[in-house]
Amino acid sequence: MSVLIFIDHTEGQIKKSSLEAVCYGVKIAQQLGQPAEGILLGTVQEDLTNLGNYGLTKVYQVKDEVLNRLDPQIFARIMAEAVGKAGAQLVIFSNNINGKAIAPRLSARLKAGLASGVVALPDTSKGFVVKKNVFSGKAFAHVSLDTPIKIVTLNQNSYPVTKLEGKAEIQEWQIPSAGGRVKELSVTKASGEIPLTEADIVVSGGRGLKGPENWPMIEELARLLHAATACSRPVADAHWRPHNEHVGQTGIAIAPNLYIAIGISGAIQHLAGVNRSKVIVVINKDPEAPFFKAADYGIVGDAFEVVPKIIEAIKKLKAV
Ligand SMILES: Cc1cc2nc3c(=O)[nH]c(=O)nc-3n(C[C@H](O)[C@H](O)[C@H](O)COP(=O)(O)OP(=O)(O)OC[C@H]3O[C@@H](n4cnc5c(N)ncnc54)[C@H](O)[C@@H]3O)c2cc1C
């Protein structure tokens, strides 16, 4: 079963979530005694031969600048052709926004079984069985993919990135990118220096912060930690923060290494978007706040006293 991994990128950089997908795909290929190959649509600044450092033997590239912007229909069509050309039987995406947009379309084109939000290596002892999140991360399901071509999207932060030594061979393919039915008229970039879905650390504020005038301390803490900022839904609904920062069941689902929740109660709909974070720190003045049950570390205290102290401590630490 040959393995093809989709390598996603933004602004000329390969996304970390894609490197996780690469390492995951390489491990499966090793399990199956097959080579692992990657495919990149568009152009990046990095030398693609370096993807050999993550275990890829070959990287196919469709070097067309039009493909630096996602059009899921075009990407699915090109990927369908690429899967045929590469003779791939297992295709892996990161379960990020782009992966979620392309994988189901590709699945429909190839009549391939799709398991999305996978969190562990498959069991290949009796077919191909993957473990995936269901019910917003409240449970796991084991799913058997029985179709000749299988597609998997890997949840972010579910598989570690391991660096090896190696060089990948690069092969350029000419596959036409014309034919999209969606025309992009303009792009408005989300605010914030670090994209929320790619951030290692996220500092998030809720209604306990009382109003938008109190966000400078959240932004300062985020800046010091090189973190992205997020918020609960009522905060975005009240226009204290932009909607692209709203995390949860009806907002963005994230899985950073560290999620710091400040003045957020921890309603189930909020947790649905953040409970895959590796470490959760909760700051809340109510010791009964439900978020403490999901927290790895908790501080019971007033955010307006606790956060400035944390900021001060980080500044001191950085000055040393
Ligand atoms: C269908 C549906 C979908 C939803 N989707 C989402 C979603 O995607 N994301 C989401 O976030 N919500 C969602 N919600 C809303 C959700 O149910 C909660 O109402 C919401 O998450 C609460 O936001 P909050 O924790 O910021 O506010 P609150 O519930 O008002 O909690 C504020 C918290 O701040 C604490 N606090 C107050 N003052 C301080 C202080 N000075 N210092 C420290 N702590 C303090 C309080 O103890 C409290 O725990 C959804 C609801 C529904 C019905």
Side-chain angles (χ1 to χ4, degrees):
M1 190 190 297
S2 55
V3 181
L4 184 66
I5 303 135
F6 178 79
I7 300 160
D8 199 3
H9 56 98
T10 180
E11 298 184 347
Q13 307 291 328
I14 291 171
K15 292 183 185 175
K16 178 182 161 261
S17 53
S18 266
L19 295 181
E20 293 170 4
V22 165
C23 293
Y24 176 80
V26 165
K27 187 70 192 174
I28 298 176
Q30 280 169 359
Q31 242 172 262
L32 298 167
Q34 295 283 337
E37 301 178 336
I39 177 155
L40 185 136
L41 309 188
T43 54
V44 288
Q45 286 145 20
E46 290 154 80
D47 177 1
L48 290 182
T49 61
N50 289 336
L51 285 167
N53 288 331
Y54 301 95
L56 290 181
T57 49
K58 197 186 262 185
V59 177
Y60 303 107
Q61 184 177 19
V62 183
K63 217 173 178 177
D64 181 344
E65 301 230 335
V66 171
L67 299 172
N68 290 343
R69 289 259 165 79
L70 175 76
D71 180 327
Q73 287 171 347
I74 293 178
F75 273 52
R77 181 177 51 71
I78 294 177
M79 280 301 290
E81 200 170 326
V83 169
K85 266 164 117 55
Q89 284 144 309
L90 174 63
V91 190
I92 296 171
F93 292 87
S94 169
N95 194 39
N96 60 17
I97 290 174
N98 291 1
K100 283 180 196 168
I102 306 164
R105 290 177 166 88
L106 181 64
S107 156
R109 277 182 176 270
L110 299 177
K111 299 201 182 346
L114 164 68
S116 55
V118 165
V119 295
L121 287 168
D123 178 356
T124 50
S125 61
K126 297 179 238 79
F128 191 90
V129 179
V130 286
K131 182 178 172 188
K132 58 168 279 179
N133 272 138
V134 287
F135 302 126
S136 302
K138 283 259 167 236
F140 295 113
H142 294 267
V143 176
S144 173
L145 294 181
D146 301 326
T147 46
I149 300 176
K150 306 171 200 335
I151 303 174
V152 160
T153 70
L154 175 72
N155 261 355
Q156 285 160 270
N157 244 335
S158 298
Y159 198 79
V161 175
T162 321
K163 251 188 149 178
L164 315 157
E165 280 289 306
K167 288 271 169 217
E169 181 198 331
I170 309 302
Q171 189 172 326
E172 267 188 50
W173 276 342
Q174 308 292 331
I175 303 179
S177 60
R181 280 181 283 172
V182 175
K183 201 168 167 195
E184 191 174 275
L185 300 179
S186 67
V187 176
T188 309
K189 279 195 136 193
S191 61
E193 287 164 25
I194 303 171
L196 192 47
T197 49
E198 289 295 307
D200 257 351
I201 305 177
V202 173
V203 179
S204 188
R207 206 149 46 178
L209 288 166
K210 318 285 185 228
E213 66 282 4
N214 294 320
W215 245 264
M217 77 176 177
I218 300 293
E219 287 171 330
E220 186 173 11
L221 180 58
R223 215 171 17 253
L224 286 167
L225 294 172
H226 301 291
T229 47
C231 67
S232 65
R233 176 170 157 173
V235 163
D237 284 349
H239 304 293
W240 296 359
R241 297 299 291 175
H243 262 291
N244 59 280
E245 286 194 6
H246 153 202
V247 288
Q249 183 186 315
T250 45
I252 298 174
I254 54 171
N257 282 324
L258 174 61
Y259 183 72
I260 306 176
I262 305 168
I264 303 176
S265 57
I268 188 162
Q269 297 89 354
H270 185 85
L271 291 176
V274 303
N275 58 7
R276 287 191 291 106
S277 308
K278 275 250 160 74
V279 176
I280 296 179
V281 175
V282 169
I283 303 168
N284 197 304
K285 70 175 185 184
D286 174 9
E288 301 298 322
F291 222 147
F292 283 120
K293 289 202 181 92
D296 296 282
Y297 300 95
I299 302 174
V300 179
D302 187 326
F304 298 99
E305 288 169 20
V306 175
V307 176
K309 280 188 184 153
I310 296 176
I311 289 174
E312 206 185 310
I314 296 173
K315 281 184 177 166
K316 265 194 197 147
L317 207 66
K318 289 199 167 195
V320 175

